[in-house]
Amino acid sequence: MEMSSISSSARSVEEIFKDYSGRRSGIVRALTLDVNEFYSLCDPEKENLCLYGHPNDTWEVTLPAEEVPPELPEPALGINFARDGMDRKDWLSLVAVHSDSWLLSVAFYLGARFNRNDRKRLFGMINDLPTVYEVVTQKKPVKDKPIVDSGSKSKVSTKRSSDGQVKSNSKPVDDGYVEDEDEHSETLCGTCGGSYSAEEFWIGCDICERWFHGKCVKITPAKAESIKQYKCPNCSMKKSRQ
């Protein structure tokens, strides 16, 4: 088995990401373009088999490494045994999920000595790519929306804060990820009266607890991050009159 040799010397974030990308590409190829070949190699009559992705964009179905402990974390063992007991699409999806888990474990094994910032940067680079599962099941990831965080320590703000994060986050459209949008369907913008939409940035007033389109009150996601307690135009005017 060609279990790519890994140097014990320190690697940069970019080098580990390149390693991750190559392995991911190989696995994606196995589960999409080469899926018939991959399916035939995963014979349930054979021993425990694993799907390996290599840094050079290739893949391999073979037995696990014999050395203990192995040079790298090992992929899911025995993927071939469930092949004939499941719907083909479901089986491929299961292999994809296990493959995503393995790819992350290898990347963070190689970057185990990174500091907090480098680990965060590595995960950010990885997270910008669709997962193997998303590619195999053709689920399109939705770009995240900015999160509203008023920063207020009042009871009202804290209560609304978690709700605010839900409103400003994106909502994926597939069954595995969907949160019921009906929960927020009655929320109306305090300025224009428009209904809540997950595709738009919203911000909540910490005084009157009403919600507004960011564009209606001229608040951008970046500006919202620096606001400790947001007061809508109406509440601001009331205070100035007192």
Side-chain angles (χ1 to χ4, degrees):
M1 177 183 66
E2 179 203 341
M3 190 56 191
S4 314
S5 178
I6 301 297
S7 170
S8 59
S9 60
R11 289 188 165 199
S12 68
V13 170
E14 288 73 21
E15 288 173 328
I16 293 178
F17 177 68
K18 183 178 180 181
D19 181 277
Y20 169 90
S21 299
R23 296 177 188 278
R24 173 185 170 280
S25 294
I27 290 175
V28 167
R29 174 177 287 276
L31 300 179
T32 55
L33 296 177
D34 301 339
V35 65
N36 290 330
E37 179 185 356
F38 168 69
Y39 190 86
S40 65
L41 288 173
C42 292
D43 186 347
E45 298 300 320
K46 296 181 179 178
E47 298 181 64
N48 288 291
L49 295 175
C50 299
L51 171 60
Y52 292 89
H54 299 302
N56 61 355
D57 300 352
T58 62
W59 61 274
E60 182 179 14
V61 171
T62 188
L63 298 172
E66 294 181 1
E67 65 266 24
V68 178
E71 186 179 12
L72 287 174
E74 288 290 305
L77 182 66
I79 57 173
N80 51 312
F81 294 148
R83 192 196 71 176
D84 293 346
M86 300 176 64
D87 177 82
R88 176 164 164 156
K89 290 183 179 179
D90 291 339
W91 177 70
L92 290 173
S93 296
L94 180 63
V95 174
V97 168
H98 280 295
S99 297
D100 280 318
S101 177
W102 176 68
L103 288 169
L104 283 173
S105 68
V106 170
F108 280 85
Y109 175 85
L110 296 176
R113 294 178 178 81
F114 282 164
N115 60 34
R116 178 180 179 181
N117 289 336
D118 284 344
R119 289 196 306 271
K120 185 176 181 179
R121 189 155 66 92
L122 175 60
F123 181 74
M125 294 168 72
I126 290 173
N127 206 35
D128 281 340
L129 294 175
T131 63
V132 176
Y133 174 78
E134 287 171 334
V135 174
V136 170
T137 58
Q138 297 183 335
K139 294 180 183 290
K140 297 181 180 179
V142 179
K143 187 176 181 181
D144 289 341
K145 304 296 179 188
I147 294 177
V148 175
D149 184 5
S150 68
S152 172
K153 295 180 180 178
S154 68
K155 290 183 180 179
V156 172
S157 176
T158 303
K159 204 172 189 179
R160 300 285 292 178
S161 173
S162 66
D163 192 27
Q165 291 183 0
V166 171
K167 292 179 185 303
S168 59
N169 276 336
S170 61
K171 287 183 173 55
V173 296
D174 50 270
D175 294 338
Y177 299 84
V178 167
E179 180 182 24
D180 188 4
E181 189 163 340
D182 289 338
E183 180 183 351
H184 309 292
S185 61
E186 295 180 2
T187 301
L188 302 178
C189 175
T191 298
C192 71
S195 299
Y196 163 69
S197 169
E199 299 301 318
E200 297 176 289
F201 174 76
W202 285 63
I203 187 167
C205 176
D206 290 305
I207 305 302
C208 66
E209 299 188 84
R210 297 179 71 184
W211 286 91
F212 303 83
H213 289 110
K215 62 183 180 181
C216 289
V217 289
K218 298 181 180 179
I219 299 293
T220 64
K223 187 175 181 180
E225 291 180 1
S226 63
I227 299 175
K228 291 183 178 181
Q229 185 181 52
Y230 175 68
K231 296 179 182 179
C232 70
N234 288 337
C235 290
S236 296
M237 289 177 64
K238 288 177 182 177
K239 185 174 180 180
S240 63
R241 289 171 183 169
Q242 293 176 352

